Amino acid sequence: MKPQAIIFDLDGVITDTAHLHFVAWRNVAAEVGIMIDEKFNAELKGISRMASLERILRHGGKDAAFDLAAREALARRKNALYVDSLAQLTPQSVLPGMTSLLHTLKAQGIKTGLASVSLNAPAILTALGLQSHFDFCADASRLQRSKPDPEIFLAACKGLKVEPARCIGIEDAQAGIEAINASGMLSVGIGVGLKQADLLLDNTEQLTWPRLQAFWDQQQRARASSH
């Protein structure tokens, strides 16, 4: 038996725009007198734009200095800088092995979904030349709750018309792994230091269909034996 669908996070799994996010946030933070570095930026991984801004303001001791309208203006400023930087993305920006995996999943008849909190996900997929490789992209603008809440992964399952228990979710952030687990899907983590992933891989080159198929079969056998 195969999984009904595989649902991917975008940043750190399909491509890596983390540095572009960092540069945009660093510039916006500097404009209001806050300094951030790459180490702090790692804490923003996998969370929404406004949640990231709140952490930055708190980090700089300025969380009481900006009302909602001012925060929204800062968030728009960051997004404008980030969107401008997306012009750097090309199909060569896809992480190793991912284009091949997406081709294989299509050939296997397995649905593919995207569960990214980025409001720019459609534009990023277009820049990467991958928009036709995904059967459904969850709309981040409709989310009420960000990861680690499972809402976005459940929305992707609903859009694909699949059952979470028969799907695999792939993430590179701890909040994302927790969201996948809470949704009832099996979780695959990419990178070091992640906890609670059902399968942990070092990088996307290790994310192949044979490995996912073996992982799926192993998990199904374990489930069957536990009943």
Side-chain angles (χ1 to χ4, degrees), residues 193-204:
L194 295 176
K195 301 174 182 177
Q196 302 172 323
D198 295 309
L199 173 66
L200 186 59
L201 303 175
D202 293 333
N203 52 59
T204 57

Side-chain angles (χ1 to χ4, degrees), residues 8-19 45 89-103 124-125 128-130 134 170-172 190-191 202-208:
F8 299 82
D9 178 39
L10 177 60
D11 199 13
V13 176
I14 302 298
T15 190
D16 190 357
T17 62
H19 185 69
K45 199 173 188 180
L89 296 178
T90 70
Q92 283 67 50
S93 304
V94 179
L95 287 172
M98 296 309 297
T99 301
S100 174
L101 175 61
L102 290 168
H103 277 294
I124 293 171
L125 287 183
L128 298 173
L130 293 180
F134 287 89
I170 302 175
E171 267 278 3
D172 74 315
I190 304 294
D202 293 333
N203 52 59
T204 57
E205 290 180 282
Q206 297 178 359
L207 190 62
T208 63

Side-chain angles (χ1 to χ4, degrees), residues 59-71:
H59 172 71
K62 298 193 175 187
D63 47 343
F66 297 88
D67 61 16
L68 178 59
R71 290 177 187 226

Side-chain angles (χ1 to χ4, degrees), residues 173-184:
Q174 187 60 46
I177 294 296
E178 293 172 18
I180 294 170
N181 290 343
S183 76

